[in-house]
Amino acid sequence: MNMPPNAAANPIAPPAGSAMNRRDFVWGVATASYQIEGAIDADGRLPSIWDTFCATPGKVLRGETGALACDHYHRWESDVDLIADLGVDAYRLSIAWPRVMHADGRPNQAGLDFYKRLLDRLAERGVKCMATLYHWDLPQHLEDRGGWLNRDTAYRFADYADLVSRELSGRVNAYATLNEPWCSAFLGYGNGHHAPGLANGRYATQAMHHLLLAHGLALAPLAANDPQAQRGIVANVGRGSTLGDSAADHEAARLFELQHNDWVLQPLLKGSYPQDLFKLWPGTEPLVLDGDLATISGPLDFLGINYYFRSTVQSDGAHGYTEVTRPDVERTQMGWEVYPQGLEDLLRGFHTSYPNLPPIYITENGMSSDDRVVNGPNGPRVDDAQRQSFLQRHFAAISRAIDAGVDVRGYYIWSLMDNFEWAFGYERRFGLVHVDYATQQRTLKDSALLFQHYLAQRKG
């Protein structure tokens, strides 16, 4: 593709004068262990709930699994060079709990050594690391004992966080305890769309409580073992709106956002659960012990925000809401509406609702498209024009939120490369880099080339 002559002409660059153009704004890319590593039986790695879920007929599109994924476990050196050559400041990865810890709690040195080599190579190439401790791959042996429905799993997570932060101390710039507890709780235990595939509203709220308790219990060992690293959590958030103008429809939109956003943020930042949640889901109040909410609401150095789309809802005529399809809007390959304004709205709303809101990093934002490699006169090329437009519009939305006073300090594109997209297998492609799964060939899409050019221009 023809590269723009300067950063201002770059079609994905933030607006001129944006705080995102400053040198201290962190630009990064993100991945997750189960989605890219493969090597599920290598070097003592234990089975995870996603290995089990993938092996269950009908759970994942075409019966695909993460057994090979992007083979990152064996290709990590060239992948680190790929990351560094993009020019990013930071890389958000996740540690695979089943890879680094034996079932009896002892360290699995081979797995830990893999991450040490990876982190050391990132540091050599000048790339900082945000390490997510839990990106959904719970060891199966813990699920066999109840998983996140069992309070003991929260304590086992604290042991795991203690182990990882001792072993990786000095190599990690920031730890995110959990990725998207809403997905782990609701999709995993509430509607069964994700591992472990259970579907019960009471399960969802109890799993959420234990997930958040695990987060809170992990903060102390992280601070003790790696005091120079920041500590935070990553929450996925959703914008809800309505086509109607009735009071009931506006209430439906409020309840949607309460369920998607405040269910996580309010216990973290205010030390309480939103009581309207249990009006929405009667009889689902979790068992909360004395001191739990104080543990959950421990101080955070940062909050990671993942945002992808807007949902349109209407009143269900009772005490809740139903989702409806908004006609004539731009959508991604996932069927999600492209709505950058929703990210600005949410950031500004959180800034108002939570006076103690910590500094924010956009830890995931991106889109899937049906990307194909074509051979042109200058070699292989992936023209992903919709992704370029998606990114530029979301950068502009974040810039407006910053101008309104929201403390956003960085942005990580999801994802570095195409990978295993959970229940959708390998069909949905979110990457800046195209992966040919048959050959493991990596090809920078046009969006990656433009992003690389922008970062080079920014650094001067």
Side-chain angles (χ1 to χ4, degrees):
M1 67 180 300
N2 295 322
M3 300 305 298
N6 54 64
N10 191 318
I12 71 167
S18 168
M20 299 173 78
N21 294 318
R22 296 196 313 246
R23 292 293 297 271
D24 61 349
F25 189 88
V26 176
W27 287 99
V29 289
T31 65
S33 52
Y34 192 77
Q35 293 182 267
I36 67 167
E37 286 181 359
I40 60 173
D41 298 316
D43 297 330
R45 180 191 176 277
L46 301 176
S48 79
I49 57 173
W50 271 94
D51 298 311
T52 303
F53 193 72
C54 290
T56 305
K59 294 298 186 181
V60 177
L61 189 66
R62 295 188 294 264
E64 293 170 339
T65 78
L68 179 61
C70 304
D71 197 27
H72 175 71
Y73 191 77
H74 298 111
R75 300 170 186 267
W76 64 271
E77 290 179 276
S78 57
D79 284 343
V80 168
D81 289 340
L82 182 67
I83 294 164
D85 289 345
L86 281 174
V88 296
D89 305 303
Y91 174 46
R92 178 178 172 236
L93 57 88
S94 77
I95 308 296
W97 190 348
R99 198 178 291 287
V100 300
M101 198 175 203
H102 293 297
D104 61 4
R106 291 180 299 111
N108 178 14
Q109 205 57 52
L112 288 162
D113 287 345
F114 165 72
Y115 291 109
K116 288 177 182 178
R117 292 191 296 269
L118 175 62
L119 295 174
D120 287 346
R121 179 62 175 161
L122 286 166
E124 289 170 8
R125 293 300 312 270
V127 179
K128 295 181 178 179
C129 170
M130 177 185 287
T132 304
L133 293 178
Y134 184 68
H135 202 127
W136 307 354
D137 44 359
L138 184 71
Q140 181 61 43
H141 69 88
L142 292 177
E143 181 59 36
D144 292 342
R145 293 163 50 192
W148 290 111
L149 299 178
N150 184 348
R151 184 181 176 92
D152 185 64
T153 301
Y155 295 97
R156 300 292 72 77
F157 179 80
D159 293 341
Y160 158 63
D162 180 49
L163 168 67
V164 170
S165 56
R166 278 188 284 108
E167 290 280 346
L168 302 185
S169 181
R171 291 178 163 95
V172 173
N173 300 95
Y175 291 97
T177 53
L178 309 176
N179 177 75
E180 299 185 349
W182 186 94
C183 290
S184 296
F186 187 77
L187 300 183
Y189 293 86
N191 68 12
H193 291 177
H194 279 186
L198 303 180
N200 183 296
R202 178 74 166 79
Y203 290 172
T205 56
Q206 193 64 63
M208 175 67 84
H209 182 67
H210 291 154
L211 282 154
L212 295 178
L213 179 63
H215 154 78
L217 291 170
L219 294 177
L222 292 176
N225 296 334
D226 204 351
Q228 300 306 309
Q230 291 192 320
R231 301 170 300 154
I233 188 172
V234 170
N236 60 299
V237 298
R239 182 71 168 115
S241 63
T242 180
L243 292 171
D245 198 34
S246 70
D249 285 337
H250 286 296
E251 174 66 1
R254 184 188 75 85
L255 289 172
F256 173 90
E257 291 196 0
L258 178 142
Q259 193 258 25
H260 278 74
N261 306 334
D262 300 292
W263 184 19
V264 176
L265 297 182
Q266 186 169 317
L268 288 171
L269 300 176
K270 292 186 177 180
S272 63
Y273 284 108
Q275 287 307 300
D276 282 357
L277 179 70
F278 308 117
K279 296 178 183 177
L280 183 63
W281 294 337
T284 64
E285 293 89 340
L287 176 62
V288 179
L289 301 187
D290 288 346
D292 283 0
L293 288 164
T295 299
I296 289 169
S297 57
L300 299 174
D301 296 316
F302 71 92
L303 173 65
I305 291 292
N306 295 354
Y307 173 81
Y308 288 99
F309 59 95
R310 171 174 69 169
S311 296
T312 301
V313 299
Q314 65 184 16
S315 171
D316 65 359
H319 57 269
Y321 62 84
T322 59
E323 295 194 31
V324 296
T325 300
R326 183 180 289 265
D328 303 322
V329 296
E330 179 187 355
R331 297 187 182 276
T332 70
Q333 186 193 22
M334 294 289 287
W336 296 343
E337 181 188 355
V338 177
Y339 190 66
Q341 183 62 43
L343 180 53
E344 179 189 350
D345 293 343
L346 289 170
L347 291 173
R348 293 175 69 142
F350 299 153
H351 180 64
T352 300
S353 299
Y354 297 103
N356 60 335
L357 188 71
I360 287 173
Y361 291 85
I362 306 302
T363 36
E364 289 183 29
N365 180 234
M367 60 156 285
S368 66
S369 55
D370 186 18
D371 300 321
R372 311 290 179 90
V373 178
V374 297
N375 290 314
N378 298 316
R381 179 186 175 190
V382 181
D383 180 1
D384 59 344
Q386 188 188 12
R387 180 174 291 105
Q388 297 163 38
S389 174
F390 178 101
L391 292 173
Q392 192 280 328
R393 285 176 285 163
H394 282 81
F395 296 167
I398 296 165
S399 294
R400 294 192 297 271
I402 295 172
D403 290 344
V406 185
D407 186 4
V408 182
R409 299 188 182 182
Y411 178 102
Y412 293 77
I413 294 176
W414 185 269
S415 173
L416 167 66
M417 55 187 165
D418 298 335
N419 53 52
F420 178 76
E421 183 47 42
W422 307 111
F424 293 100
Y426 294 98
E427 181 184 78
R428 313 297 167 92
R429 294 180 176 270
F430 277 86
L432 288 176
V433 177
H434 182 277
V435 178
D436 182 324
Y437 297 113
T439 65
Q440 293 297 330
Q441 177 67 39
R442 276 77 157 136
T443 303
L444 271 66
K445 302 177 187 179
D446 284 0
S447 58
L449 295 171
L450 289 164
F451 187 46
Q452 182 182 53
H453 187 265
Y454 165 70
L455 294 176
Q457 289 284 331
R458 170 175 164 266
K459 291 178 180 178

